[in-house]
Amino acid sequence: MDLTEIFSISLGAILVQNFIFSQFLGLCPFMGVSTKMDTAVGMGIAVTFVMGVASAVCYGVDLLLVNFGLEYMQTVAYILVIASLVQFIEMFMKKTMHSLYEALGIYLPLITTNCAVLGVALLNTQNGYSFIESVVYGVTGGIGFLLAIVLFASVRERMDATSDCPKAFEGFPIALMSAGLIALAFMGFSGLDVFK
């Protein structure tokens, strides 16, 4: 493992294989929480933390499952790990950052079922990443999620403030169209050759 591999994994997770705009994972909290910038940043940071820690813990869980010949239990074990981490974060936020906890509302427990968090753990296993590569992919995948949700929150805030779109497109339809256009822009990174 060298620095070029780590850089390639990082750049891929943030831009090329962005969980929201390229892999379309984690759209539920992305669409629900991206109406205001402060809640988008809070959700992005929470998802980044969960993705990083889940990648580290799930790497160890995967080693245990492989040693006992229980590879078929990966998905169930990963879901249990993720659910436990989200419970911990929810309790921590309720005690220390109560205003953010209230602002995130139902979307904080939804991190448990966020397919981007489960996806990062499964992709780490599928790609055969080492411990360091798994953690880097998890954290930078979360940073990519944070980038996507913050970009989209800024677009939605601007549309709410200045948009005079047709009545049929107001609200969720224009948000979906905007997300699609941003996804098209991110798909431009897929042709990027970082190292030749």
Side-chain angles (χ1 to χ4, degrees):
M1 173 183 50
D2 58 355
L3 239 44
T4 56
E5 286 180 33
I6 297 296
F7 181 72
S8 180
I9 289 170
S10 300
L11 192 61
I14 294 171
L15 296 176
V16 180
Q17 300 167 352
N18 186 286
F19 281 99
I20 296 293
F21 294 132
S22 296
Q23 298 185 31
F24 309 112
L25 297 173
L27 291 176
C28 176
F30 172 73
M31 293 303 289
V33 179
S34 62
T35 55
K36 295 196 184 309
M37 184 67 78
D38 55 344
T39 56
V41 170
M43 177 60 89
I45 291 170
V47 167
T48 302
F49 178 75
V50 170
M51 282 178 136
V53 175
S55 294
V57 174
C58 287
Y59 181 83
V61 169
D62 185 55
L63 290 177
L64 285 172
L65 292 174
V66 169
N67 283 339
F68 290 114
L70 299 171
E71 295 91 352
Y72 60 91
M73 295 293 292
Q74 283 175 338
T75 305
V76 174
Y78 293 170
I79 289 171
L80 290 173
V81 166
I82 293 165
S84 301
L85 287 171
V86 171
Q87 279 300 117
F88 169 74
I89 290 172
E90 190 174 0
M91 290 186 305
F92 178 77
M93 284 181 127
K94 190 173 184 178
K95 292 283 186 188
T96 60
M97 298 178 260
H98 194 72
S99 60
L100 181 59
Y101 173 79
E102 291 293 326
L104 291 175
I106 188 67
Y107 295 103
L108 188 58
L110 283 178
I111 295 175
T112 304
T113 58
N114 186 343
C115 53
V117 179
L118 179 60
V120 76
L122 292 172
L123 286 169
N124 285 336
T125 304
Q126 183 181 16
N127 294 334
Y129 287 152
S130 67
F131 177 76
I132 299 295
E133 291 170 336
S134 295
V135 172
V136 166
Y137 187 64
V139 170
T140 55
I143 292 170
F145 183 91
L146 175 66
L147 173 70
I149 200 167
V150 166
L151 280 173
F152 193 57
S154 65
V155 168
R156 286 182 81 174
E157 281 186 351
R158 173 101 180 185
M159 282 189 313
D160 288 345
T162 62
S163 178
D164 55 345
C165 65
K167 186 154 180 68
F169 289 109
E170 287 178 0
F172 201 66
I174 196 70
L176 286 174
M177 290 180 69
S178 301
L181 291 172
I182 296 171
L184 278 173
F186 266 74
M187 293 301 268
F189 293 120
S190 64
L192 188 65
D193 283 334
V194 179
F195 300 105
K196 293 184 179 189

